[in-house]
C-alpha cells in the first residue's frame, strides 16, 4: 500500500536531509561492491557521486524520466531557502538539494524500486554512460 505524504507536515529541506542519507548509503554500497578495498579509494569514489556538481548534472538529465509528483518535489527542493557553502556554486547546490529531496520523498513513500531506478540513473550519469543492466545498484543492495 502506498503512503501519502502531507507536504504541509514535512519540509522540503527535511526531505533533502533524509534523501542525502539515502543516496550516501546507496553509493557507499555501490563503491564497496565495485571491489574498492582501500578506505581512501572508497571515499573518493563515493564523493564523486554525491557532491553538488555531480548531483546538479543528474538533476538536469533526469527530469524527463520523472513522474509529475516527483518533478514537483525536485523543483521544490531546488527552490528551498537555505545557506549555501562558499566552496560550491549556488545553482549546483540548489539542484543537489532538489535531487536529495526527491530521494527523501520516495523513501518516506517506501518506493524502494523507484529509489533504485534513480540511483541507477545517478551512477550512469556520473560515470558518463547510459544505465547498464550489469551495474544496477539494485543488484548490489544488501
Amino acid at each position: 500500500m502506498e503512503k501519502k505524504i502531507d507536504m504541509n507536515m514535512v519540509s522540503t529541506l527535511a526531505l533533502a536531509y533524509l534523501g542525502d542519507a539515502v543516496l550516501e548509503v546507496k553509493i557507499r554500497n555501490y563503491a564497496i561492491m565495485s571491489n574498492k578495498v582501500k578506505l581512501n579509494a572508497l571515499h573518493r569514489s563515493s564523493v564523486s557521486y554525491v557532491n553538488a556538481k555531480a548531483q546538479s548534472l543528474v538533476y538536469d538529465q533526469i527530469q524527463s524520466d520523472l513522474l509529475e509528483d516527483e518533478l514537483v518535489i525536485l523543483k521544490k527542493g531546488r527552490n528551498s531557502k537555505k545557506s549555501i557553502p562558499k566552496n560550491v556554486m549556488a545553482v549546483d547546490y540548489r539542484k543537489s538539494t532538489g535531487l536529495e529531496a526527491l530521494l527523501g520523498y520516495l523513501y518516506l513513500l517506501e518506493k524502494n524500486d523507484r529509489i533504485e531506478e534513480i540511483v541507477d540513473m545517478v551512477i550512469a550519469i556520473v560515470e558518463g554512460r547510459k544505465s547498464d543492466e550489469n551495474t544496477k545498484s539494485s543488484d548490489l543492495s544488501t
Side-chain angles (χ1 to χ4, degrees):
M1 180 168 69
E2 189 174 300
K3 289 184 178 180
K4 289 285 186 190
I5 294 178
D6 180 357
M7 289 309 296
N8 295 322
M9 299 300 290
V10 182
S11 77
T12 310
L13 291 177
L15 292 175
Y17 176 76
L18 182 58
D20 176 62
V22 169
L23 184 59
E24 183 75 30
V25 168
K26 295 289 185 185
I27 294 300
R28 285 183 181 198
N29 185 57
Y30 175 73
I32 288 169
M33 300 309 286
S34 297
N35 295 319
K36 296 195 175 24
V37 290
K38 293 185 178 178
L39 186 59
N40 194 31
L42 285 170
H43 177 70
R44 275 195 321 269
S45 175
S46 296
V47 167
S48 70
Y49 295 91
V50 299
N51 68 63
K53 189 164 185 70
Q55 289 181 15
S56 176
L57 178 66
V58 171
Y59 178 101
D60 290 337
Q61 294 188 29
I62 68 168
Q63 291 184 51
S64 64
D65 296 318
L66 298 179
L67 302 173
E68 187 176 331
D69 66 317
E70 295 171 342
L71 195 54
V72 167
I73 297 298
L74 186 79
K75 289 180 178 182
K76 281 185 178 184
R78 179 199 62 202
N79 294 334
S80 296
K81 302 292 183 209
K82 68 187 237 181
S83 60
I84 299 169
K86 292 181 181 184
N87 64 337
V88 68
M89 291 182 55
V91 66
D92 290 340
Y93 195 72
R94 290 191 190 289
K95 288 178 180 180
S96 70
T97 302
L99 178 63
E100 291 166 350
L102 172 60
L103 290 168
Y105 171 77
L106 294 171
Y107 181 83
L108 287 179
L109 288 176
E110 298 178 355
K111 291 188 174 184
N112 297 319
D113 290 343
R114 187 63 174 148
I115 290 170
E116 295 299 337
E117 290 173 10
I118 291 174
V119 171
D120 289 341
M121 287 184 236
V122 169
I123 291 166
I125 291 166
V126 172
E127 291 180 355
R129 60 175 172 73
K130 292 190 179 198
S131 196
D132 179 356
E133 291 298 317
N134 297 327
T135 58
K136 284 189 155 298
S137 65
S138 56
D139 294 339
L140 305 173
S141 297
T142 53

